Amino acid sequence: FQVQPGHTGWKGYGTDIFYNSDKWEALEGGVQTAGCSSRGGNRAANWAVLKDKATGEKLITGGIHLSYCEGGCDSLHECELQALYTKFEEMKKKHPSAPVVWMGDMNRNMQATVMQNLLNGRIGSMTTFKADDMGKTTKNTHMAGGGAIDHIFGELGAFKIREGGSTGQGLTGQHLEGSDHFPIYSILDFGRR
């Protein structure tokens, strides 16, 4: 496995991309500080464009870790998400056939307004592609309990979800191998299948 291209060190809390270099060729990528008034430290937008070595099909991927704000902070989360989506939109212009799939610690459940707007292609004043919840995670993903706050998203209509959700690892009230979050997954099909 390799880390995304353009990963030049820590730029903030984000979601680094590791990919199987036997299956994928990395075409480009990077990491950039979101540039918002983030809470608890800088946030980073991570992105990569990968090409399947067998089929030649491309995929845009990335991730972010949004600030934690008790009770939510839509305008801050929109700023952080706009940093990530600005990179996705740049990559989509360069690689128009490549769908987007990404993941992150959103610190929000899927019912939150900012999450519903994201699914409908709106991030604050920014209009972008519509997304779907690829993980369909319903169980808590944080050791403190509550609902799922870690999510996997994909460009609406570009993927077929075979399965996804919680891996079943992690117990409320206990760290999992040092992490306060529990893993989620999604198995997807895309392209010519």
Side-chain angles (χ1 to χ4, degrees), residues 8-144:
T8 57
W10 196 82
K11 304 283 185 196
Y13 295 103
T15 305
D16 295 336
I17 305 302
F18 292 88
Y19 66 96
N20 180 342
S21 57
D22 291 335
K23 177 174 176 49
W24 299 97
E25 174 188 356
L27 302 179
E28 59 184 302
V31 58
Q32 175 179 305
T33 301
C36 306
S37 298
S38 298
R39 297 186 185 179
N42 289 332
R43 303 298 150 159
N46 292 264
W47 70 94
V49 179
L50 305 175
K51 183 170 89 172
D52 187 306
K53 290 181 177 181
T55 67
E57 293 185 81
K58 296 178 186 176
L59 178 72
I60 300 168
T61 189
I64 195 161
H65 177 173
L66 299 183
S67 292
Y68 172 74
C69 313
E70 188 173 347
C73 48
D74 288 355
S75 61
L76 175 56
H77 287 163
E78 289 166 348
C79 178
E80 293 167 348
L81 285 166
Q82 285 174 352
L84 177 64
Y85 268 70
T86 296
K87 288 301 174 184
F88 288 159
E89 292 292 347
E90 287 176 21
M91 295 303 105
K92 285 186 73 56
K93 285 180 183 167
K94 292 171 78 173
H95 308 276
S97 66
V100 178
V101 63
W102 66 277
M103 67 222 84
D105 174 352
M106 306 303 290
N107 275 312
R108 300 301 286 271
N109 65 41
M110 289 303 296
Q111 290 72 43
T113 300
V114 71
M115 302 301 284
Q116 289 298 305
N117 287 344
L118 178 71
L119 295 176
N120 288 306
R122 291 187 319 273
I123 306 169
S125 62
M126 180 183 197
T127 301
T128 188
F129 55 88
K130 291 183 178 183
D132 194 5
D133 175 5
M134 299 283 132
K136 307 288 186 199
T137 308
T138 57
K139 295 182 179 180
N140 69 301
T141 60
H142 191 271
M143 65 178 271

Side-chain angles (χ1 to χ4, degrees), residues 159-177:
F159 300 91
K160 179 182 177 197
I161 304 167
R162 287 200 285 164
E163 60 182 86
S166 168
T167 65
Q169 296 167 295
L171 297 172
T172 302
Q174 297 180 16
H175 283 92
L176 177 65
E177 299 294 326

